[in-house]
């Protein structure tokens, strides 16, 4: 677990850095094999390639919103992802993402329209992020 900037880190924030195994080699205190340690240098490029250890779905921002809002999520591994918007009746309103995506941080803007491009009414909506391993959901409020 690396905290790269105390001023910007969030509570319980964790990142995974994928390093080439050849960059990690055991060293030993005074040559004694009983006391190994690892000297790992993290570069700026490593920091750019960090991925979250688990699937997460952020709260949309702003919330309440009018006419658009941003939904952020984090993927621990590449794979198929689907992000859907539902109304309070459970009816599918809009599919924002339905594609293969790389691991890492992503965000998408919803402009308050349905799959037909029509503006939706004010009210509570639910968004659901689905991956092969897990499904997460949250709610948001559109106020016109």
């Amino acid at each position: 677990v690396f905290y790269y900037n105390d001023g910007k880190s969030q509570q319980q924030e964790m990142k995974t850095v994928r390093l080439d195994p050849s960059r990690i080699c055991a060293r030993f205190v005074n040559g004694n094999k009983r006391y190994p340690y690892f000297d790992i240098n993290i570069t700026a490029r490593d920091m750019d390639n960090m991925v979250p250890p688990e699937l997460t779905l952020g709260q949309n921002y702003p919330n309440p919103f009018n006419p658009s809002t941003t939904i952020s999520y984090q993927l621990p591994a590449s794979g198929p992802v689907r992000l859907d918007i539902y109304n309070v009746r459970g009816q599918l309103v809009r599919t924002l993402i339905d594609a293969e995506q790389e691991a890492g941080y992503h965000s998408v803007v919803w402009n308050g329209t349905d799959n037909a491009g029509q503006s939706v009414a004010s009210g509570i909506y639910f968004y659901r992020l689905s991956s092969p391993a897990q499904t997460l959901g949250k709610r948001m409020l559109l106020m016109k």
Side-chain angles (χ1 to χ4, degrees):
V1 177
F2 298 99
Y3 293 95
Y4 57 92
N5 183 335
D6 289 336
K8 293 185 179 182
S9 66
Q10 296 183 14
Q11 204 172 43
Q12 301 298 321
E13 181 181 20
M14 292 186 353
K15 310 273 186 203
T16 301
V17 179
R18 295 188 176 150
L19 299 172
D20 179 359
S22 67
R23 291 178 50 196
I24 302 171
C25 62
R27 299 178 192 266
F28 303 96
V29 176
N30 296 329
N32 188 334
K33 299 265 186 195
R34 293 179 56 191
Y35 301 105
Y37 70 93
F38 296 88
D39 186 15
I40 302 170
N41 293 315
I42 307 276
T43 65
R45 184 174 179 195
D46 294 328
M47 297 299 282
D48 290 341
N49 292 325
M50 289 192 314
V51 295
E54 61 187 22
L55 181 71
T56 59
L57 177 61
Q59 185 62 52
N60 67 301
Y61 181 81
N63 189 34
F65 67 97
N66 179 24
S68 64
T69 188
T70 301
I71 300 169
S72 299
Y73 54 97
Q74 303 170 10
L75 305 174
S78 299
V81 177
R82 186 174 172 113
L83 181 60
D84 294 313
I85 310 290
Y86 295 90
N87 63 21
V88 292
R89 293 181 181 169
Q91 298 166 319
L92 178 65
V93 172
R94 178 87 185 260
T95 298
L96 296 175
I97 304 289
D98 188 9
E100 292 274 332
Q101 290 194 321
E102 295 294 319
Y105 300 89
H106 302 272
S107 65
V108 63
V109 175
W110 181 44
N111 61 2
T113 60
D114 61 16
N115 280 331
Q118 301 295 314
S119 292
V120 298
S122 295
I124 296 172
Y125 291 87
F126 300 92
Y127 55 103
R128 183 174 72 181
L129 179 68
S130 302
S131 74
Q134 191 175 5
T135 298
L136 301 172
K138 292 194 183 270
R139 67 176 174 231
M140 59 186 157
L141 178 62
L142 169 60
M143 291 180 60
K144 292 187 177 183

